[in-house]
Amino acid sequence: MITRAKYNPVALEEKWQARWDERDIYAARDDDPRPKFYNLVMFPYPSGDLHIGHWYNYTGADIYGRYMRMRGHNVTQPIGFDAFGLPAENAAIKRNIQPRAWTLDNIARMREQLKRMGAGWDWPREVVTCLPDYYTWTQWIFLQFFKNGQAYRTKAPANWCPTCNTTLANEQVVNGACERCGTPVERREIDQWLLRITDYADELLHFDGMDWPEKTRLMQTNWIGRSEGAELRFTARVPVAGPIKNGKRAAAKTENAATPATVAGGESENAATPATGGYEQVEIPVFTTRPDTIYGVTFFVLAPEHPLVERLTAPERRDAVQAYIEQTRHESEIERLSTEKDRAKTGVPLGGAVTNPVTGQQVPVWIADYVLMGYGTGAVMGVPAHDQRDFEFARQFGLPIVEVIREEGEPATDPATWETAKTAKGAMVNSGAFDGTPGPEAIRRVIEWAEAHGVGKGAVNYRMRDWLISRQRYWGAPIPIVYCPEHGAVPVPEDQLPVMLPDEVEFKPTGESPLRYVPEFLHTTCPICGKPATRETDTLDTFICSAWYFLRYADPRDAQHAWVNDKVDEWLPVDMYIGGAEHAVMHLLYARYFVKALRDMGLLNISEPFRRLYHQGIVLGRDGVKMSKSRGNVIAPDDVVNVHGADAVRAYLMFMGPFDQGGPWNDKGIEGVYRYLNRVWTLVTDAIERRGEGGEGQRVAAGASVDRLRHKMIARVSGEYDALRYNTALAALMEFVNALNKLRDETPDLVRDDRFAAALDTLMVLLAPMTPFITEELWHELGHDESIHEQPWPAYDPALTVDDLITVVVQVNGKVRDRLEVAADVSEADVRALALASARVQSATGGREPKKFVYVPGRLANIVV
RNA sequence: GCCGGCGUGGCGGAACGGUAUACGCGGCAGUCUCAAAAACUGCUGCCCGACAGGGCUUGUGGGUUCGAAUCCCACCGCCGGCACCA
């Protein structure tokens, strides 16, 4: 009895990881002549431990990278840490530890865990966004955006907790209240920096040449929300603006395409005199996708925050309007936008009226929370007959409903009897001179009329808003701006970067940014005049850090530049980007915007960052639901790796189901995969041993079957890897091992046939991307010196992937009745004769004459009787 | 509410419009063992049948087709995204 070394994954994985580290075999060189392949994963937030979702994402990506490397590409698979963000501050407050120390500790631990996975990380390219050698360039990019008019400062709403005296992230608002103190959260306008992503709305709608999931393109398209229609200017007679109240008056929302209100004939600021008494005419533009329904306007609705609300409110309505505004100010956006069935429309009339620019008709003005200041112009023309929301609003408050669009052939009906609005396009009716204008022309004709009469124009509107990048927090990249009493907001000169984030700060219970309490940070001098000035204490949204890290990977150690285009052009665009679908919109849209904006600043030559995108699925807990600490169903990768090894964890994760679907974790499932790896181990070590007993180089008849099997497997597994179908790739490799075991049991001498040896080599190579450690070990045991991960992917001979004998299925009326074992090149006539001669077929046909004979060559025959 | 996706054995899941249930888990039986575990071998969709064999089966109901898990229509259920977008 010979004792062979047992498969001991933990020990051999440590050994090989150390050797790979020494040789840095996964570090891609810029001057490598092979075609490049940029294999990117979404870098992790250093939360403390790598979780099973990271393993899933990174294993699937790593398999692809290893496969492409063996396919002859110069693969880089960089990794880094998205290291700024809120959790570090939370941990700091909770555990009295500095965010920097907490973050760097976590990174150190996660680096080790990332190594343990056996992924081919290109470590020399690592980036850590919270370190100055990275955020210097994040700040530099902000300055480029500022210089090129892409960054601007304006009042923007934030969640405000009046007790903590601080802004809150959405995550910190629980049921409309501050998560720390329970105080109801208010919306508050504060000065913040934004980026003009809306400038790129149209270009971002194009995905030419991009291999992205349809679902993601659709989500981005819907997020951008382009709609075509018209801007129509309604007018109202209002009291001349009085003295400025509460510090703001009709502050035009300058950042959208349309301005909400301007006084006819000039700027409101200039035209309005602070005199008392007197009236003036103001224009209130609305955006509508249905200008053809203009004759159906029976009311007009403003967002409660609309700057003209106060002046349009009749004195006797003031109290009711104030009360309603106060009510909506405390409603969260979610509540306001809720479409729960029972939720009735709310709103109050202002007591004033506006004039329809096309019909000249006066209609009452209301405010209602279903109109949002952030979309369009913050004003809606109410057309209850043809818009469902307006319909419900009119029903709620007894406002008239007038039908102005009718589909062809439809009889006139009384809108009072309708149950819903009629939103289909049709011909205009009850519309004066426009009556009878058919649907396709109606919108265009009304726009032409409005343009000719100077009361409106065709317009495009977007749902997407500009990107708010200010965060009133410490743990982020400081915004490189200085406020000078004389010169206002002044950018920090590039040669003075970075604006260093103080390493240690104090978190005071006021909740104000700790940076305000660091005098040496706060106080500085104006870059223009040298007089005392203060720094911006807001930091950048961490989405900024992650909107360009893939550029930095091209040359991360360059201390003089964020990047140089020689290197970027060599590696970018990313060939494969794998990450979670939760980033389908924000991160992926921001990164695309960055690349386009930087291109237009002359800083990049590419237009899109990611050529191919893939979203992995989600690993669920043992109970089949999403893992969460509160449910206690979290799988800790370290625990499983300690028992079965990284290879088994990798292979099991991939075997669970299709890579883009994820699935529930099953402890028995990983045991099955572990058993498989043991069978692989035994198959190979047993063959080596028996081969050593002498008589190598024999040839046995079964060798031909082995050879055929080997070629078939190369073809099959290659196709599966190409399509990231790892579950079926592993199924094929399991079949391969089962078949080799069986053939060898039938013909023990097979182990001495070089075709069996070749099959074992091929098995190792095909399995290598999935389970890099065991295959490396056995590869060397099989007598090879180089790393298996530097081997070329094997080729196959198509002629050897087909069998001499095939099975042709014989159906009678579509039901399988017999199977014929015939030569692969059998003729239809022969199949027909054999099929009709079959006893089973004859019994099924009952002697009836075939009406029809369908033949699918080499597969199936169907006899119809 | 809108948009997207998905419903296949006891379970995870396979299946170019052409042999449904590959591969794995679980279960049953056996080999080895004093015994058990591990390992290995065989069987394992459901129903009838001793066998031979027959019938049924991809959420439900229709349709297209020689042939449908796959395509079309309607319904039921589950999951994800967006949230009154004018």
Side-chain angles (χ1 to χ4, degrees), chain A residues 334-345 392:
Chain A
I334 300 278
E335 283 167 341
R336 243 177 101 166
L337 303 182
S338 167
T339 53
E340 269 178 72
K341 281 200 182 86
D342 300 342
R343 187 183 156 94
K345 286 271 183 295
E392 287 167 21

Side-chain angles (χ1 to χ4, degrees), chain A residues 366-424:
Chain A
W366 289 60
I367 53 173
D369 62 358
Y370 82 92
V371 178
L372 303 175
M373 200 56 226
Y375 183 81
T377 62
V380 170
M381 59 182 217
V383 186
H386 305 293
D387 180 277
Q388 186 58 26
R389 294 169 311 260
D390 296 346
F391 181 84
E392 287 167 21
F393 192 79
R395 276 285 158 86
Q396 177 80 27
F397 296 107
L399 297 162
I401 300 174
V402 179
E403 182 189 27
V404 293
I405 299 289
R406 200 176 292 151
E407 285 183 82
E408 202 182 332
E410 193 190 0
T413 50
D414 180 359
T417 65
W418 295 0
E419 281 173 15
T420 60
K422 292 191 190 292
T423 53

Side-chain angles (χ1 to χ4, degrees), chain A residues 51-89:
Chain A
H51 58 71
I52 202 79
H54 290 125
W55 268 76
Y56 193 63
N57 181 176
Y58 299 161
T59 299
D62 184 57
I63 292 170
Y64 202 75
R66 289 179 179 280
Y67 174 62
M68 293 310 285
R69 182 177 294 111
M70 295 172 97
R71 279 282 195 196
H73 289 81
N74 180 29
V75 174
T76 183
Q77 185 172 301
I79 188 74
F81 296 92
D82 188 13
F84 275 134
L86 197 55
E89 289 193 37

Side-chain angles (χ1 to χ4, degrees), chain A residues 42-43 82 212 216 219-220 543 546 577 579-589 613 615:
Chain A
M42 292 182 184
F43 63 166
D82 188 13
W212 278 36
T216 307
M219 280 169 74
Q220 292 205 348
F543 273 117
S546 58
Y577 194 20
E582 69 274 18
H583 291 117
V585 176
M586 307 233 278
H587 161 61
L588 288 165
L589 202 60
L613 174 71
H615 297 304

Side-chain angles (χ1 to χ4, degrees), chain A residues 132 216 253 259 404 441 696:
Chain A
T216 307
K253 202 171 137 293
T259 52
V404 293
E441 275 175 47
E696 239 181 302

Side-chain angles (χ1 to χ4, degrees), chain A residues 186-204:
Chain A
E186 310 175 348
R187 293 178 75 73
R188 185 166 167 167
E189 302 277 322
I190 56 177
D191 282 317
Q192 309 201 64
W193 288 94
L194 291 94
L195 299 185
R196 292 187 199 277
I197 190 173
T198 51
D199 283 2
Y200 287 84
D202 267 320
E203 195 185 342
L204 288 167

Side-chain angles (χ1 to χ4, degrees), chain A residues 536-599:
Chain A
E536 169 68 84
T537 55
D538 282 358
T539 51
L540 290 167
D541 179 7
T542 55
F543 273 117
I544 300 263
C545 307
S546 58
W548 74 282
Y549 75 110
F550 47 88
L551 299 172
R552 187 66 181 171
Y553 279 147
D555 190 20
R557 300 284 89 85
D558 187 338
Q560 307 306 314
H561 314 90
W563 60 82
V564 290
N565 276 321
D566 279 359
K567 304 266 186 177
V568 168
D569 292 345
E570 193 177 320
W571 285 106
L572 275 279
V574 168
D575 296 284
M576 173 66 104
Y577 194 20
I578 304 186
E582 69 274 18
H583 291 117
V585 176
M586 307 233 278
H587 161 61
L588 288 165
L589 202 60
Y590 294 152
R592 295 180 63 213
Y593 160 57
F594 256 45
V595 165
K596 290 173 193 303
L598 291 165
R599 172 204 62 198

Side-chain angles (χ1 to χ4, degrees), chain A residues 90 93 159-169 171-186 509-511:
Chain A
N90 290 340
I93 292 163
N159 298 316
W160 181 260
C161 172
T163 302
C164 299
N165 191 30
T166 188
T167 58
L168 300 174
E171 191 185 78
Q172 297 171 303
V173 181
V174 181
N175 297 326
C178 173
E179 69 170 355
R180 260 179 251 166
C181 66
T183 310
V185 171
E186 310 175 348
T510 64

